[in-house]
Amino acid sequence: MATTGTTTVTLADLTRMLRESAGEEEGVDLDGDVVDTPFIELGYDSLALLQVIGQIQREYGIAIPDDAVVDAETPGALLALINAGDTPAAA
């Protein structure tokens, strides 16, 4: 569902995409308070995050720099980057 204008990606959206792209690590509860938990502790590596970023770009039309994976080490940091408003919608 590509949208234009102001679109906010939520933690629920992000965890759904993580599950769809890379599954869920046994013993990790993505429905818990994971906003400040490093992705590596959640069982997601940079490849999984690149897949999620690609999915966000397709679903929401939000351009996200590839180096965002390096800068955003937690779900909260990635959501802040995505929702900052300085990532223009892809044409």
Side-chain angles (χ1 to χ4, degrees), residues 1-76:
M1 146 179 56
T3 59
T4 57
T6 303
T7 301
T8 299
V9 179
T10 66
L11 182 59
D13 296 327
L14 181 59
T15 56
R16 173 186 54 82
M17 288 183 265
L18 284 166
R19 285 183 180 112
E20 290 172 0
S21 294
E24 187 171 356
E25 196 72 23
E26 187 174 323
V28 173
D29 180 14
L30 288 179
D31 294 323
D33 185 16
V34 297
V35 74
D36 293 320
T37 304
F39 283 115
I40 199 74
E41 287 182 26
L42 296 173
Y44 299 103
D45 60 13
S46 58
L47 180 59
L49 293 178
L50 285 173
Q51 291 175 328
V52 169
I53 286 172
Q55 187 172 352
I56 290 167
Q57 291 173 332
R58 288 187 302 277
E59 284 189 27
Y60 295 93
I62 298 171
I64 304 167
D66 288 339
D67 61 358
V69 173
V70 175
D71 297 334
E73 296 180 358
T74 66

